[in-house]
Amino acid sequence: MKTYNNLPTLVTAKILAFAFSGADGDIAIWKQALSLLSVCHGWRVQGVNTLYRYAIVKVVDPNLIMDDSDEEESDYSDEEAVTDSGGSDWESVSSSINCISDAFALDGGDPIRVYTNIKLIEKLGLESMVKQLLFSEKQPQVLTINEFDSMGAFISILEALFQDLLGNDKLTEPFNEWFDLEYMDAVSDNQAEGECYAVIKAATDAFINKYPNISSINAVMINPHEFMQKMIVELAVGYDKQLTNIDDNLPTICPGSLRTIQFMLDDQPFNWDVFRVDKKSKTIAFDNLVYLSLTGTIQDSDAGNEITNNLNLSFPKLERLFLENISLTTNEAQAMIGHRLKWLYCEGSIIAASQLCKQPLRDLDTLFLIWVEEEYPDEVDDFVFLANEIFNKTDDIKYVHCEIRAANFDDSMLGIYWPYLTHLSLGFTILFEDLFEIVQNVPNLLELNMVIDYHDVNVITEATEFLTNIKKHYPTPSSSKIETLRIVIECATLCSNPCCQSPFGKAVQNLRWYWPQLKNIDIQN
């Protein structure tokens, strides 16, 4: 009989992976996951290496939170944790997951709180297991940013992480004096800043020495103070040769060892200077980058969302490129679409996609192109022409997928000719007569996904009748290569019985005659 303590290793691994989901970014989830380490020895052996990969520091400033009813104090303040007592016996020990700094509080206000698992990691001597370091800040519902608030968050983190590490009771003194007008009048700005930087340097050096294996640093903070940014830079520089992942909140970082980059861009042009360590050089080389993701925001067509720069970029090992609402400059496109790129996802402007696809695509294995009419309504008249231009040069790509999200079918779609497209997704209702004409112009199509919004009973009745009598309309089967058809139906009349057993569902089966290669039909409400 299988019990939790003698499950196959693979099953246990899947259970723990599911249970630990989110533990890398939330101290409360991380803490809850600790209880699973006490289930049995096998779970503990597998779980420790995963769970203790993550060092998390979360700032909660009650002065910035207008309604903190969703913040369950119990999520953080329970101090029971499971650990190794040094021998073969395991026991539950008391450890402070909850580290509260009360040294920095607004007059009459509650102290800023810093919740972290670092104290527990150090108590257990598991610093060498840590691979990822995350700084996060609770997102307030109402926020007024000022230097006093951001400095408070920084000082609280400094105390929580480094005061014991350096054994310095006066660690935060230079930063507290930053707001002492008499002190600032007595010394120069450079002297005051230098004293603060000296503390940051000593603190980060000590941290790097104690946590030698960190390869990922992320910071999800509202408005990090310049000293916080300086501290992150020092950490990144210290881990430079082994750092494989950063997020877009970090200042200047050496790009040479990065393998993954994901950026969520705001409405300002992106500046590659974040990776420009040598300001005198115009070259930024991502020598080991494998995956790059750039997500922008929808803007007026006149404004665009271009990543503009005059730098020389190099991505010699880039294999996967994800672009959403991003327009690349010619130099950027030439740098990214290289002989190593195998996977390209481009969602947004068809004009931007057309410019991007002017680069040689012959080395790609997979191409996704997604166009959303609602976001780019001015491109409706140009879509078919530009899409034809793109999909007529993809003959060397094995998997070519186009998804069109539009409110209604446009007659211009009948003018498409995409001889090398393999997968097509239509996000609008279309009559089957028009669908057949489109499919005829996509001769190598293998999979078709479509949405039918048939709230009008008469319309679906007519569609059912058309498919039931398909041989009258089309006496000869099509030469289409379609193997899979997926239909998502929005129609109240079908909700009472399974789609495949409804009259429409049965009529759709006649498509197996018209498309002889059709093997799979999936109909969903």
Side-chain angles (χ1 to χ4, degrees), residues 44 48 52 82-91 93 124 126:
R44 190 157 52 248
V48 164
Y52 284 97
V82 179
T83 184
D84 194 335
S85 61
S88 58
D89 296 330
W90 284 72
E91 61 181 7
V93 300
L124 305 179
L126 301 179

Side-chain angles (χ1 to χ4, degrees), residues 24 217-218:
D24 60 334
I217 303 176
N218 291 325

Side-chain angles (χ1 to χ4, degrees), residues 165-217:
L165 195 63
L166 294 178
N168 184 357
D169 293 336
K170 298 182 179 181
L171 180 69
T172 61
E173 191 172 288
F175 304 97
N176 289 319
E177 290 175 341
W178 194 262
F179 292 104
D180 186 333
L181 297 180
E182 291 185 5
Y183 175 79
M184 292 301 289
D185 286 341
V187 302
S188 67
D189 289 345
N190 289 339
Q191 179 182 340
E193 188 177 75
E195 291 174 355
C196 294
Y197 282 177
V199 172
I200 292 173
K201 177 63 174 173
T204 53
D205 284 349
F207 186 86
I208 292 168
N209 185 60
K210 195 162 189 177
Y211 292 84
N213 297 318
I214 288 178
S215 58
S216 174
I217 303 176

Side-chain angles (χ1 to χ4, degrees), residues 218-256:
N218 291 325
V220 184
M221 304 191 74
I222 302 163
N223 183 42
H225 192 275
E226 61 177 292
F227 290 144
M228 184 70 199
Q229 296 183 40
K230 174 67 174 177
M231 185 175 76
I232 296 172
V233 168
E234 290 295 335
L235 288 170
V237 170
Y239 290 118
D240 180 48
K241 292 183 179 180
Q242 63 200 56
L243 199 64
T244 60
N245 184 65
I246 62 170
D247 76 348
D248 57 325
N249 289 284
L250 304 188
T252 308
I253 302 298
C254 180

Side-chain angles (χ1 to χ4, degrees), residues 415-440:
I416 71 169
Y417 180 64
W418 301 340
Y420 307 112
L421 194 78
T422 60
H423 293 67
L424 176 62
S425 297
L426 302 177
F428 52 84
T429 297
I430 182 172
L431 297 176
F432 278 93
E433 300 98 307
D434 294 329
L435 179 67
F436 290 169
E437 188 169 343
I438 288 176
V439 170
Q440 188 174 351

